[in-house]
Amino acid sequence: MMQESDLEPLELDPPTSTRLGKAPATGGSDEDGALVYLGSRPTYSCANCSTHLALQDELISKAFSGRDGVAFLFHSAVNIKQGKKEDRMLLTGMHTVADITCCGCGTSVGWTYLKAFEASQKYKEGKFIIEKEKIVKDNAWTLDS
Ligand SMILES: [Zn+2]
């Protein structure tokens, strides 16, 4: 006869169900993440001094290349100073551009296209490139300040 000398009593703790009375998520409801814009439109602000630089409505593309990484193309920008214009060879050909700096703190935030030499790039004339890392999206709340 086998003797199970080391048999340990197995105590099955009844699972203390700590239900929080939370209804199961019913999918796609985004209400928790809803942002309040305080009656104004969402903007992009200078990451350095929080000066508003562009309206989200004016955003054309987030798929541009800045000097150091991703940059956004905007129809317009505000609170910027335009530097002197110069011809610059960019990935998409020769352009006449001018650097733009934040009026609030003087940080160079990108450039504006004054003239595109390639017909396919003409749509960028008068538009503004602002480097992603130079701006923060201002949603009337602050994620990390
Ligand atoms: Zn600034």
Side-chain angles (χ1 to χ4, degrees), residues 37 40-45 52-56 136-139:
Y37 295 132
S40 63
R41 291 183 286 177
T43 56
Y44 287 94
S45 304
H52 286 174
L53 295 178
L55 282 169
Q56 189 183 28
V136 291
K137 197 169 167 189
D138 182 354
N139 286 320

Side-chain angles (χ1 to χ4, degrees), residues 45-53 79 101-109 134:
S45 304
C46 175
N48 191 43
C49 72
S50 300
T51 296
H52 286 174
L53 295 178
N79 301 322
T101 54
C102 170
C103 276
C105 65
T107 297
S108 172
V109 294
K134 301 292 175 59

Side-chain angles (χ1 to χ4, degrees), residues 18-29:
T18 49
R19 305 216 165 182
L20 298 170
K22 204 173 173 181
T26 51
S29 172

